[in-house]
Amino acid sequence: MQKSPLPSPLLDVKNVTRILSGVVQTTLLRGINLSVKCGEFVTITGPSGGGKSSLLYLLGLLDRPTNGEIFIQGQATSACATTELADIRLQKIGFVFQFHFLLEEFTALENVMLPMNQLNKSTFEERQQRAEQLLTTFNLAEHLYKRPDQLSGGQRQRVAIARALANAPALILADEPTGNLDTKNADIVFKAFRKIVDDTGASVIVVTHDMELAKRADRQIHLVDGQIVS
């Protein structure tokens, strides 16, 4: 009997290098090879200045590699036009930053609806219902109509995670999402990522300095001087 072909990885990074040009060239990443399967929870650790955030920005198509290729669901992205990259990010990638970047004039509900409004593939009522469901999932049902300045740091970060999930992306990227949180709220946020992987089958990649939290992922990648060392 012929074996079924193995499923292609959600994310496939092939020999990626990132060099900043200037008076002195700076190599941020060198020869990165990395594959991430659907439904995998991965953490990236390493010393400051080792290239963790640079790698995450490349994976999120917020920056372009100097050499090499990044495939998202089998699609090569290095030659894509800026508008194409924006469409891929909007439909397939959710990004969570260390600082939540919620819009202060909007409620939690309105902030979560923003990506859906931009994609514009559903009715207003459907967007609102999904935003309510996401916020309820993260125990924020009582805070739908509060603005960011009325929420705690942990609550704001959970709103940001809900916003990243708004368009049901296949890949969630988070850059030091617990860096400004206390231990209790950091634990809540990491449990939220675990729930995303288990419940939706999306893949989650988190950059973190917290080694105890990093160990709770399915796989830990250690980056030093722009290279994956383990």
Side-chain angles (χ1 to χ4, degrees):
M1 181 182 296
Q2 186 177 4
K3 291 184 178 180
S4 300
L6 294 174
S8 59
L10 169 66
L11 174 69
D12 206 10
V13 180
K14 299 289 190 182
N15 199 32
V16 159
T17 297
R18 179 72 176 103
I19 299 173
L20 287 183
S21 298
V23 177
V24 178
Q25 284 194 344
T26 303
T27 301
L28 302 177
L29 298 165
R30 60 190 82 218
I32 298 294
N33 290 284
L34 172 66
S35 289
V36 176
K37 298 180 293 185
C38 295
E40 190 173 16
F41 186 5
V42 177
T43 51
I44 301 176
T45 60
S48 296
K52 302 185 300 297
S53 293
S54 297
L55 176 58
L56 207 68
Y57 275 61
L58 288 179
L59 301 183
L61 309 183
L62 296 170
D63 200 358
R64 293 179 186 266
T66 306
N67 296 299
E69 185 60 89
I70 297 173
F71 297 88
I72 305 287
Q73 292 182 327
Q75 179 181 357
T77 61
S78 65
C80 287
T82 301
T83 53
E84 290 180 276
L85 293 180
D87 286 341
I88 295 171
R89 284 197 302 270
L90 186 61
Q91 297 183 55
K92 299 183 179 182
I93 301 172
F95 215 113
V96 182
F97 299 90
Q98 181 174 353
F99 302 99
H100 53 78
F101 292 120
L102 300 177
L103 296 185
E104 296 293 337
E105 67 272 24
F106 288 171
T107 65
L109 186 69
E110 290 168 334
N111 268 283
V112 176
M113 290 175 67
L114 285 172
M116 291 183 280
N117 294 341
Q118 190 175 1
L119 189 61
N120 195 27
K121 286 191 174 181
S122 54
T123 66
F124 177 85
E125 290 74 18
E126 289 170 335
R127 298 171 204 170
Q128 182 170 342
Q129 183 179 30
R130 175 159 175 78
E132 289 175 355
Q133 290 172 342
L134 285 169
L135 289 166
T136 299
T137 297
F138 293 118
N139 298 319
L140 293 166
E142 298 177 2
H143 307 289
L144 299 180
Y145 301 103
K146 291 182 180 179
R147 289 180 168 78
D149 63 358
Q150 298 173 300
L151 301 171
S152 70
Q155 290 168 339
R156 288 194 293 267
Q157 195 61 297
R158 278 181 279 157
V159 173
I161 295 172
R163 180 182 59 188
L165 291 174
N167 288 332
L171 177 64
I172 309 294
L173 304 172
D175 191 12
E176 293 285 359
T178 62
N180 294 317
L181 303 180
D182 57 27
T183 302
K184 178 182 177 182
N185 278 301
D187 180 65
I188 291 172
V189 166
F190 246 70
K191 285 179 178 176
F193 287 128
R194 180 81 264 173
K195 182 175 176 62
I196 291 166
V197 173
D198 293 342
D199 290 358
T200 71
S203 299
V204 173
I205 303 176
V206 179
V207 165
T208 182
H209 277 103
D210 192 323
M211 299 304 292
E212 290 305 311
L213 291 178
K215 292 175 184 176
R216 292 159 58 175
D218 300 325
R219 181 157 54 110
Q220 182 179 334
I221 294 166
H222 197 61
L223 200 65
V224 177
D225 293 333
Q227 294 178 296
I228 295 175
V229 297
S230 65

